[in-house]
Amino acid sequence: MTTTTEVAAGRATRAPEDRRAARRRRWLLEVGWKYLLAVVVIFYAIFPLVYVLSASLNPYGTLAASNALFSVIDVSNYAALGETRFWTWAGNTLLIGGIAAVGAVLMGAAAAYAFSRFRFSGRRAGLTGLLIIQMFPQALAFVAIFLMLLALGEVVPVLGLNSKIALICVYLGGALGVNTFLMYGFFNTVPIEIDESAKIDGATHAQIFWRLIIPLVTPILAVVALLAFIAAFGDYIIAKIVLVSEENWTLAVGMYQWVSNQLASNWGLFAAGAVIAAIPVLVLFLSLQRYIVGGLTAGSVKG
Amino acid sequence: MTVDAPTTPRAPAEPAPRESHARRWRGPGWGFLAKLALMALVNAFGVMTLLSAFRVESWVVFSATLVLLLAADVVYFTRRSLPLKYLLPGLVFLLVFQVFIFGYTAYIAFTNYGTGHAGTQEQAVEAALIQGERRIEDSPTYPLSVVERVGELGFAVVDENGDVLVGSAEQPLEEARDAEVGSGGVPTEVPGWDVVPRTTVITDAELQEQIAGLRVAVSEDPNDGSIRTRDGSSGAVYESTLVWDAGAQTITDTTTGTVYTANDQGSFVAEDGSALPTGWYVNVGFENFFRLFTDPALAQTLLSVTVWTFAFATLSVVLPFALGLLLALIYNDARLKGRRFLRTLYILPYAFPAFMSALLFRGMFNAEFGVINDLFFFGANINWLGDPWLARAAVVWVNLWLTYPYYFLVCTGALQALPQDTLEAASIDGAGRTRQLRSIILPLVLVATAPLLISSFAFSFNNFTVIYMFNNGGPAIPGAPYALGATDILISAIYDISGVSGGAADYGLASALSILVFAVVGGISAIAFRQTRKLEEFQ
C-alpha cells in the first residue's frame, strides 16, 4: 500500500522532469544543432569580411601585419586613401554606374511598356530576338568593342577610347536585352483596365506611361537600377580596355592595380577602400533584398 | 491573363482624322517642348557626327549615323509607329553596341588584324614612307611660321617665288592667297589661320614637341615628301628613301635598291624574305580557326583550358547549389528563432561586390603572408596560387563562397512556395521525412530552379572577373604561348591572346576564339530556351 503510493508519488514528481528532459533532447536533436551549425556557417560566411575590416584598421598596411585580427585599431589607412586616386575612381564609378542604371531603367521601362501594352507587327519577333541577343555576353566581344571605339574616336572623340561616355554607351547597349524581360513580366501584372479607363478620360500614351504605369512598377525599376549599377560596378574587362588613363578608371580597374602590383604593401589601402566601397552596396542590397530575390530568380545572376 | 487583351483594333475614341501628338499644339505642353529640345540635341549631335565622319572619310560611321538620325526623326515626328517611339532609344544602343559588335567580331575573326596589320594598305604605305624619311641633301630651306586653327597646328612657308603656302598634318600644302610676309621674311598673316607668335614657340615646351613631330605633306602624292622643321622658323623638305609604286604594288628602297612587294598576307616582303614592319589587314579566310586547332602548342593548351572551363562552370553551379539547397532545407524550419537574422548573415558574401571578394581572397591565399596559411594551416607555406591544382581548388572555393547565398535565397523561396497540402497528404499516407524529401521536395525545387542553374552555368562559363582578379588565370602553363595559365577559362584566354592589355596583339585569333565560345554559349542557351519555354509567356 505504502509502496504503491510512494511509487505513484515518485512517478508524479519525476514524470514532468522526464518529459522535460526528453523534450530538451528532442529539441537538441531537431532544432538545437541547427544553431550550432549556424555558428560554423556564419564563421564561413563572414570571416573574410571581418578580416578585411580588421586589415583596413591596421596601420601597418601590409599583408603580413594584417593577420593578427584587430590587434591595433587605427584609421590611418582611411586617411591615406585621400592621397591616392581612390576618391576619383569612386566618383567615376558612381557616375558611370549611376547614369548606366538610370539609362537602363528608362530604356527598359519604355521597351517593356511597348511590348506589354501595344500589339504591333514584329512584336513577337522582337521579344524572341531580345531573348536570343541577351544570351550572348557583351564581354566576349571586347576585342570588337575596343576596335570599334578606336575607329569611332577618330570621328567623335567623346565616343572613343578613354571616354566615360563611351563606356556608358557600351553598358547601355546591353541594357535592353537583359532587363526588358524582367520588366515585361512585371508590367503585365498591372491590369490593362487602368490604361483603358485613363484613355477614356483623355490621357495620352505618354501621360499613361509617366503618371500611371511608372508609379505602379517602381519596385521592379529599383531592382533593375540596382542590378545595372552592380553590373557596372563589378565590370572589369570592358572598363579596363575602354578607360585608358588613370584619372578615368573605375574602382574595379584601380583597385585591381593596387593589389596586383604591390600586394604586400598596398594591402591596408585596398582593405580600407573595399570597406568604403562595399558598405553602400551592402546597405542597398540588404534593404532591397525582398525585391531583389524576386528579380534574381527571374533569371539574373551575380556579376 | 490581362495580357491577352484585345487583338482586334480598338474603336477610335475620337473621330478620325486625328493629328499626331507631335504636331498637336495645345498650349504650352511641357512634354512636347521637352521632346522638341531633346530632338534638337539629337539632331545637332547627329549632324555634327555626319560632318566629322565626312571629313575623316569614315563611311561606315557616316552611313550608320545618317540612317539612325533619319529613323529618329521619322519615328518622333510622324504619328505612325507609336511602339517604336518607346523602343527606339534602347534599340539604337542595342544595334550599335551589341548587335553590330557581334557582327564585327565575326568579321575580325576572318582577318589578320593585330600588331603589324592594324590598318588599311594606304595607311601602311604612308606609315612606311614616314619611317623611311630623311632630309634630302642640300634641299633648300624655306622661311616658316607655325600657324594654328581651332586646335590644329600647321606650317606656313614662303617658297622660291615668294608665294605663301600653308598646310597641316591632314592637309597638304596649298597656296594661301592674301597672306602677308613680314620683315623677318616669314609669313605674319595667313587668312583662316592664326600665326603663333615666335616667343610662344620658343617658350612653350609642349608646343615645341608638337612642332618637332609635325609633318606637312608637300602634295597629295606621299612620294613627294613633306616639310619639317627643327627650330620653328625654317623648314626643309624631307623625302622618304622609300618609293611607293601604286601600279606595281611595290615599295623600293632607293638607298639599297631592295624592292618590297605587297603580298596577299598584308605585308611588304622583299625577295630575301625580309619584310617592312608595317602591314595592313586582309581577309585570311578560316586561317585563324585552323590555327586554333592545328598549331600544336596552342591547340594543346587550349584543350586543357577548355576542359577546365567546363569543369569550373560545372563546379561553380553544382557545389554552391548543393550547399545553398542544404542550408535552405535546414533553416526553413519554423521552430528556429531568429531565422531572418541568420539569413541576413548567410547572404552577406553575396552582397559584397564580387571583384573585391576575388581580390580579397587573392591576398588571403597568399603563400607567404596570407591569413589562410597563417591561421588555418598553422603557418605552413602552402603555395595556393602557384600550384596548378591548388589554384584551381582555391578558385572553386572562392566561387563557392561567392555564390552559395544566391542558391540559398532561391531555394528558400522555392521551399516556401511548396504546396503544403501535398506534403500533409504524403505524411498522412505514412511517408517519412527522407521519402518526402526525395519524392516531393527535391523534384519540385529542381523544377523551379533548373532554368536558373542553366543560366548560371552560362554565366560561370564566362566569369572573367573572378578568374582574372583572383590569380590572372595563373599559374602559367610552362611552354604555353600567350601567357596562358592553369586557371584560365576561355574568356580570360581570349583576353591574353588578344593583347588588348599590352604586348603583341592578335585580334583576329582572339575573335576567332570568341566566335567559338559564342557558339558554345548559344548551344547552352538553346537548351535553356527549351527548358524554360519562356516563349510561351507571350503568345
Side-chain angles (χ1 to χ4, degrees), chain A residues 142-168:
Chain A
F142 64 88
V143 173
I145 293 177
F146 175 76
L147 295 176
M148 182 176 111
L149 293 184
L150 202 65
L152 208 54
E154 282 173 21
V155 181
V156 195
V158 290
L159 288 181
L161 285 181
N162 203 19
S163 148
K164 285 176 252 184
I165 298 178
L167 183 61
I168 292 171

PDB file of all heavy atoms in Angstrom, chain A residues 142-168:
ATOM      1  N   PHE A 142      34.858  41.859 -76.482  1.00  0.00           N
ATOM      2  CA  PHE A 142      35.593  43.059 -76.078  1.00  0.00           C
ATOM      3  C   PHE A 142      36.600  43.508 -77.134  1.00  0.00           C
ATOM      4  O   PHE A 142      36.899  44.695 -77.235  1.00  0.00           O
ATOM      5  CB  PHE A 142      36.285  42.843 -74.727  1.00  0.00           C
ATOM      6  CG  PHE A 142      37.334  41.776 -74.736  1.00  0.00           C
ATOM      7  CD1 PHE A 142      38.637  42.081 -75.060  1.00  0.00           C
ATOM      8  CD2 PHE A 142      37.016  40.470 -74.422  1.00  0.00           C
ATOM      9  CE1 PHE A 142      39.605  41.101 -75.082  1.00  0.00           C
ATOM     10  CE2 PHE A 142      37.976  39.490 -74.445  1.00  0.00           C
ATOM     11  CZ  PHE A 142      39.273  39.803 -74.784  1.00  0.00           C
ATOM     12  N   VAL A 143      37.120  42.578 -77.933  1.00  0.00           N
ATOM     13  CA  VAL A 143      38.064  42.980 -78.983  1.00  0.00           C
ATOM     14  C   VAL A 143      37.358  43.904 -79.967  1.00  0.00           C
ATOM     15  O   VAL A 143      37.866  44.965 -80.336  1.00  0.00           O
ATOM     16  CB  VAL A 143      38.626  41.748 -79.708  1.00  0.00           C
ATOM     17  CG1 VAL A 143      39.457  42.185 -80.903  1.00  0.00           C
ATOM     18  CG2 VAL A 143      39.470  40.922 -78.770  1.00  0.00           C
ATOM     19  N   ALA A 144      36.158  43.514 -80.365  1.00  0.00           N
ATOM     20  CA  ALA A 144      35.400  44.333 -81.315  1.00  0.00           C
ATOM     21  C   ALA A 144      35.023  45.671 -80.695  1.00  0.00           C
ATOM     22  O   ALA A 144      35.041  46.703 -81.370  1.00  0.00           O
ATOM     23  CB  ALA A 144      34.155  43.583 -81.770  1.00  0.00           C
ATOM     24  N   ILE A 145      34.688  45.668 -79.392  1.00  0.00           N
ATOM     25  CA  ILE A 145      34.361  46.929 -78.718  1.00  0.00           C
ATOM     26  C   ILE A 145      35.570  47.850 -78.767  1.00  0.00           C
ATOM     27  O   ILE A 145      35.470  49.033 -79.110  1.00  0.00           O
ATOM     28  CB  ILE A 145      33.936  46.671 -77.253  1.00  0.00           C
ATOM     29  CG1 ILE A 145      32.614  45.918 -77.219  1.00  0.00           C
ATOM     30  CG2 ILE A 145      33.838  47.966 -76.475  1.00  0.00           C
ATOM     31  CD1 ILE A 145      32.143  45.564 -75.833  1.00  0.00           C
ATOM     32  N   PHE A 146      36.734  47.291 -78.459  1.00  0.00           N
ATOM     33  CA  PHE A 146      37.970  48.071 -78.467  1.00  0.00           C
ATOM     34  C   PHE A 146      38.219  48.673 -79.851  1.00  0.00           C
ATOM     35  O   PHE A 146      38.454  49.875 -79.991  1.00  0.00           O
ATOM     36  CB  PHE A 146      39.124  47.147 -78.056  1.00  0.00           C
ATOM     37  CG  PHE A 146      40.481  47.761 -78.130  1.00  0.00           C
ATOM     38  CD1 PHE A 146      40.906  48.659 -77.170  1.00  0.00           C
ATOM     39  CD2 PHE A 146      41.357  47.428 -79.159  1.00  0.00           C
ATOM     40  CE1 PHE A 146      42.161  49.218 -77.239  1.00  0.00           C
ATOM     41  CE2 PHE A 146      42.609  47.984 -79.232  1.00  0.00           C
ATOM     42  CZ  PHE A 146      43.020  48.884 -78.269  1.00  0.00           C
ATOM     43  N   LEU A 147      38.135  47.848 -80.881  1.00  0.00           N
ATOM     44  CA  LEU A 147      38.436  48.329 -82.227  1.00  0.00           C
ATOM     45  C   LEU A 147      37.383  49.317 -82.715  1.00  0.00           C
ATOM     46  O   LEU A 147      37.691  50.297 -83.389  1.00  0.00           O
ATOM     47  CB  LEU A 147      38.541  47.148 -83.191  1.00  0.00           C
ATOM     48  CG  LEU A 147      39.710  46.220 -82.889  1.00  0.00           C
ATOM     49  CD1 LEU A 147      39.688  45.014 -83.815  1.00  0.00           C
ATOM     50  CD2 LEU A 147      41.025  46.960 -83.042  1.00  0.00           C
ATOM     51  N   MET A 148      36.118  49.069 -82.339  1.00  0.00           N
ATOM     52  CA  MET A 148      35.066  49.971 -82.785  1.00  0.00           C
ATOM     53  C   MET A 148      35.244  51.347 -82.144  1.00  0.00           C
ATOM     54  O   MET A 148      35.129  52.369 -82.815  1.00  0.00           O
ATOM     55  CB  MET A 148      33.701  49.405 -82.432  1.00  0.00           C
ATOM     56  CG  MET A 148      32.577  50.285 -82.924  1.00  0.00           C
ATOM     57  SD  MET A 148      30.982  49.562 -82.612  1.00  0.00           S
ATOM     58  CE  MET A 148      30.367  50.658 -81.391  1.00  0.00           C
ATOM     59  N   LEU A 149      35.546  51.370 -80.851  1.00  0.00           N
ATOM     60  CA  LEU A 149      35.727  52.663 -80.190  1.00  0.00           C
ATOM     61  C   LEU A 149      36.960  53.373 -80.730  1.00  0.00           C
ATOM     62  O   LEU A 149      36.992  54.598 -80.843  1.00  0.00           O
ATOM     63  CB  LEU A 149      35.842  52.480 -78.679  1.00  0.00           C
ATOM     64  CG  LEU A 149      34.582  51.997 -77.970  1.00  0.00           C
ATOM     65  CD1 LEU A 149      34.796  51.947 -76.476  1.00  0.00           C
ATOM     66  CD2 LEU A 149      33.405  52.883 -78.290  1.00  0.00           C
ATOM     67  N   LEU A 150      37.970  52.602 -81.085  1.00  0.00           N
ATOM     68  CA  LEU A 150      39.171  53.179 -81.697  1.00  0.00           C
ATOM     69  C   LEU A 150      38.786  53.923 -82.970  1.00  0.00           C
ATOM     70  O   LEU A 150      39.212  55.056 -83.208  1.00  0.00           O
ATOM     71  CB  LEU A 150      40.144  52.042 -82.021  1.00  0.00           C
ATOM     72  CG  LEU A 150      41.618  52.350 -82.173  1.00  0.00           C
ATOM     73  CD1 LEU A 150      42.164  52.832 -80.845  1.00  0.00           C
ATOM     74  CD2 LEU A 150      42.370  51.099 -82.608  1.00  0.00           C
ATOM     75  N   ALA A 151      37.947  53.283 -83.788  1.00  0.00           N
ATOM     76  CA  ALA A 151      37.542  53.898 -85.049  1.00  0.00           C
ATOM     77  C   ALA A 151      36.568  55.048 -84.814  1.00  0.00           C
ATOM     78  O   ALA A 151      36.657  56.098 -85.441  1.00  0.00           O
ATOM     79  CB  ALA A 151      36.902  52.847 -85.953  1.00  0.00           C
ATOM     80  N   LEU A 152      35.647  54.857 -83.868  1.00  0.00           N
ATOM     81  CA  LEU A 152      34.640  55.877 -83.589  1.00  0.00           C
ATOM     82  C   LEU A 152      35.287  57.131 -83.023  1.00  0.00           C
ATOM     83  O   LEU A 152      34.860  58.253 -83.296  1.00  0.00           O
ATOM     84  CB  LEU A 152      33.628  55.306 -82.585  1.00  0.00           C
ATOM     85  CG  LEU A 152      32.209  55.850 -82.624  1.00  0.00           C
ATOM     86  CD1 LEU A 152      31.633  55.738 -84.012  1.00  0.00           C
ATOM     87  CD2 LEU A 152      31.344  55.105 -81.621  1.00  0.00           C
ATOM     88  N   GLY A 153      36.354  56.941 -82.244  1.00  0.00           N
ATOM     89  CA  GLY A 153      37.037  58.072 -81.620  1.00  0.00           C
ATOM     90  C   GLY A 153      37.638  59.018 -82.641  1.00  0.00           C
ATOM     91  O   GLY A 153      37.822  60.205 -82.367  1.00  0.00           O
ATOM     92  N   GLU A 154      37.965  58.504 -83.819  1.00  0.00           N
ATOM     93  CA  GLU A 154      38.526  59.384 -84.844  1.00  0.00           C
ATOM     94  C   GLU A 154      37.466  60.328 -85.389  1.00  0.00           C
ATOM     95  O   GLU A 154      37.778  61.404 -85.884  1.00  0.00           O
ATOM     96  CB  GLU A 154      39.106  58.551 -85.991  1.00  0.00           C
ATOM     97  CG  GLU A 154      40.451  57.964 -85.639  1.00  0.00           C
ATOM     98  CD  GLU A 154      40.955  57.013 -86.685  1.00  0.00           C
ATOM     99  OE1 GLU A 154      40.488  57.099 -87.838  1.00  0.00           O
ATOM    100  OE2 GLU A 154      41.801  56.183 -86.349  1.00  0.00           O
ATOM    101  N   VAL A 155      36.206  59.902 -85.317  1.00  0.00           N
ATOM    102  CA  VAL A 155      35.121  60.743 -85.808  1.00  0.00           C
ATOM    103  C   VAL A 155      34.581  61.614 -84.675  1.00  0.00           C
ATOM    104  O   VAL A 155      34.505  62.829 -84.793  1.00  0.00           O
ATOM    105  CB  VAL A 155      33.994  59.879 -86.402  1.00  0.00           C
ATOM    106  CG1 VAL A 155      32.887  60.753 -86.935  1.00  0.00           C
ATOM    107  CG2 VAL A 155      34.539  58.978 -87.484  1.00  0.00           C
ATOM    108  N   VAL A 156      34.173  60.970 -83.585  1.00  0.00           N
ATOM    109  CA  VAL A 156      33.619  61.680 -82.435  1.00  0.00           C
ATOM    110  C   VAL A 156      34.476  61.349 -81.224  1.00  0.00           C
ATOM    111  O   VAL A 156      34.310  60.286 -80.629  1.00  0.00           O
ATOM    112  CB  VAL A 156      32.168  61.240 -82.154  1.00  0.00           C
ATOM    113  CG1 VAL A 156      31.493  62.217 -81.219  1.00  0.00           C
ATOM    114  CG2 VAL A 156      31.389  61.089 -83.434  1.00  0.00           C
ATOM    115  N   PRO A 157      35.403  62.224 -80.842  1.00  0.00           N
ATOM    116  CA  PRO A 157      36.308  61.880 -79.741  1.00  0.00           C
ATOM    117  C   PRO A 157      35.592  61.500 -78.445  1.00  0.00           C
ATOM    118  O   PRO A 157      36.094  60.643 -77.715  1.00  0.00           O
ATOM    119  CB  PRO A 157      37.122  63.157 -79.550  1.00  0.00           C
ATOM    120  CG  PRO A 157      37.073  63.828 -80.871  1.00  0.00           C
ATOM    121  CD  PRO A 157      35.738  63.491 -81.463  1.00  0.00           C
ATOM    122  N   VAL A 158      34.410  62.086 -78.152  1.00  0.00           N
ATOM    123  CA  VAL A 158      33.753  61.738 -76.883  1.00  0.00           C
ATOM    124  C   VAL A 158      33.242  60.303 -76.877  1.00  0.00           C
ATOM    125  O   VAL A 158      32.915  59.772 -75.831  1.00  0.00           O
ATOM    126  CB  VAL A 158      32.563  62.655 -76.536  1.00  0.00           C
ATOM    127  CG1 VAL A 158      33.029  64.025 -76.188  1.00  0.00           C
ATOM    128  CG2 VAL A 158      31.537  62.666 -77.618  1.00  0.00           C
ATOM    129  N   LEU A 159      33.161  59.682 -78.032  1.00  0.00           N
ATOM    130  CA  LEU A 159      32.716  58.287 -78.069  1.00  0.00           C
ATOM    131  C   LEU A 159      33.885  57.346 -78.337  1.00  0.00           C
ATOM    132  O   LEU A 159      33.702  56.190 -78.684  1.00  0.00           O
ATOM    133  CB  LEU A 159      31.652  58.090 -79.152  1.00  0.00           C
ATOM    134  CG  LEU A 159      30.283  58.700 -78.854  1.00  0.00           C
ATOM    135  CD1 LEU A 159      29.325  58.416 -79.981  1.00  0.00           C
ATOM    136  CD2 LEU A 159      29.734  58.163 -77.549  1.00  0.00           C
ATOM    137  N   GLY A 160      35.093  57.836 -78.180  1.00  0.00           N
ATOM    138  CA  GLY A 160      36.257  56.999 -78.464  1.00  0.00           C
ATOM    139  C   GLY A 160      36.795  56.318 -77.227  1.00  0.00           C
ATOM    140  O   GLY A 160      36.136  56.276 -76.194  1.00  0.00           O
ATOM    141  N   LEU A 161      38.005  55.798 -77.333  1.00  0.00           N
ATOM    142  CA  LEU A 161      38.635  55.175 -76.182  1.00  0.00           C
ATOM    143  C   LEU A 161      38.897  56.233 -75.128  1.00  0.00           C
ATOM    144  O   LEU A 161      39.003  57.413 -75.426  1.00  0.00           O
ATOM    145  CB  LEU A 161      39.953  54.519 -76.596  1.00  0.00           C
ATOM    146  CG  LEU A 161      39.822  53.204 -77.365  1.00  0.00           C
ATOM    147  CD1 LEU A 161      41.189  52.666 -77.687  1.00  0.00           C
ATOM    148  CD2 LEU A 161      39.030  52.188 -76.575  1.00  0.00           C
ATOM    149  N   ASN A 162      39.027  55.786 -73.887  1.00  0.00           N
ATOM    150  CA  ASN A 162      39.326  56.650 -72.753  1.00  0.00           C
ATOM    151  C   ASN A 162      38.229  57.672 -72.482  1.00  0.00           C
ATOM    152  O   ASN A 162      38.491  58.732 -71.941  1.00  0.00           O
ATOM    153  CB  ASN A 162      40.661  57.368 -72.963  1.00  0.00           C
ATOM    154  CG  ASN A 162      41.252  57.804 -71.639  1.00  0.00           C
ATOM    155  OD1 ASN A 162      40.877  57.283 -70.595  1.00  0.00           O
ATOM    156  ND2 ASN A 162      42.147  58.759 -71.678  1.00  0.00           N
ATOM    157  N   SER A 163      36.998  57.371 -72.863  1.00  0.00           N
ATOM    158  CA  SER A 163      35.908  58.284 -72.572  1.00  0.00           C
ATOM    159  C   SER A 163      34.875  57.569 -71.715  1.00  0.00           C
ATOM    160  O   SER A 163      34.467  56.448 -72.015  1.00  0.00           O
ATOM    161  CB  SER A 163      35.281  58.762 -73.874  1.00  0.00           C
ATOM    162  OG  SER A 163      33.904  58.988 -73.689  1.00  0.00           O
ATOM    163  N   LYS A 164      34.469  58.239 -70.641  1.00  0.00           N
ATOM    164  CA  LYS A 164      33.475  57.625 -69.762  1.00  0.00           C
ATOM    165  C   LYS A 164      32.132  57.508 -70.469  1.00  0.00           C
ATOM    166  O   LYS A 164      31.386  56.561 -70.247  1.00  0.00           O
ATOM    167  CB  LYS A 164      33.334  58.459 -68.483  1.00  0.00           C
ATOM    168  CG  LYS A 164      34.494  58.275 -67.530  1.00  0.00           C
ATOM    169  CD  LYS A 164      34.369  59.183 -66.328  1.00  0.00           C
ATOM    170  CE  LYS A 164      35.387  60.282 -66.433  1.00  0.00           C
ATOM    171  NZ  LYS A 164      35.430  61.183 -65.295  1.00  0.00           N
ATOM    172  N   ILE A 165      31.850  58.491 -71.336  1.00  0.00           N
ATOM    173  CA  ILE A 165      30.572  58.441 -72.068  1.00  0.00           C
ATOM    174  C   ILE A 165      30.522  57.209 -72.953  1.00  0.00           C
ATOM    175  O   ILE A 165      29.509  56.518 -73.034  1.00  0.00           O
ATOM    176  CB  ILE A 165      30.409  59.728 -72.904  1.00  0.00           C
ATOM    177  CG1 ILE A 165      30.373  60.933 -71.962  1.00  0.00           C
ATOM    178  CG2 ILE A 165      29.153  59.668 -73.749  1.00  0.00           C
ATOM    179  CD1 ILE A 165      30.268  62.249 -72.674  1.00  0.00           C
ATOM    180  N   ALA A 166      31.660  56.898 -73.602  1.00  0.00           N
ATOM    181  CA  ALA A 166      31.693  55.715 -74.457  1.00  0.00           C
ATOM    182  C   ALA A 166      31.421  54.458 -73.639  1.00  0.00           C
ATOM    183  O   ALA A 166      30.664  53.582 -74.064  1.00  0.00           O
ATOM    184  CB  ALA A 166      33.052  55.610 -75.141  1.00  0.00           C
ATOM    185  N   LEU A 167      31.998  54.391 -72.438  1.00  0.00           N
ATOM    186  CA  LEU A 167      31.789  53.206 -71.593  1.00  0.00           C
ATOM    187  C   LEU A 167      30.317  53.079 -71.215  1.00  0.00           C
ATOM    188  O   LEU A 167      29.738  51.987 -71.267  1.00  0.00           O
ATOM    189  CB  LEU A 167      32.661  53.302 -70.340  1.00  0.00           C
ATOM    190  CG  LEU A 167      32.606  52.101 -69.410  1.00  0.00           C
ATOM    191  CD1 LEU A 167      33.094  50.853 -70.123  1.00  0.00           C
ATOM    192  CD2 LEU A 167      33.433  52.327 -68.160  1.00  0.00           C
ATOM    193  N   ILE A 168      29.708  54.221 -70.870  1.00  0.00           N
ATOM    194  CA  ILE A 168      28.286  54.196 -70.519  1.00  0.00           C
ATOM    195  C   ILE A 168      27.467  53.696 -71.714  1.00  0.00           C
ATOM    196  O   ILE A 168      26.564  52.872 -71.567  1.00  0.00           O
ATOM    197  CB  ILE A 168      27.816  55.601 -70.084  1.00  0.00           C
ATOM    198  CG1 ILE A 168      28.480  55.981 -68.759  1.00  0.00           C
ATOM    199  CG2 ILE A 168      26.312  55.656 -69.947  1.00  0.00           C
ATOM    200  CD1 ILE A 168      28.266  57.418 -68.356  1.00  0.00           C
TER     201      ILE A 168
END
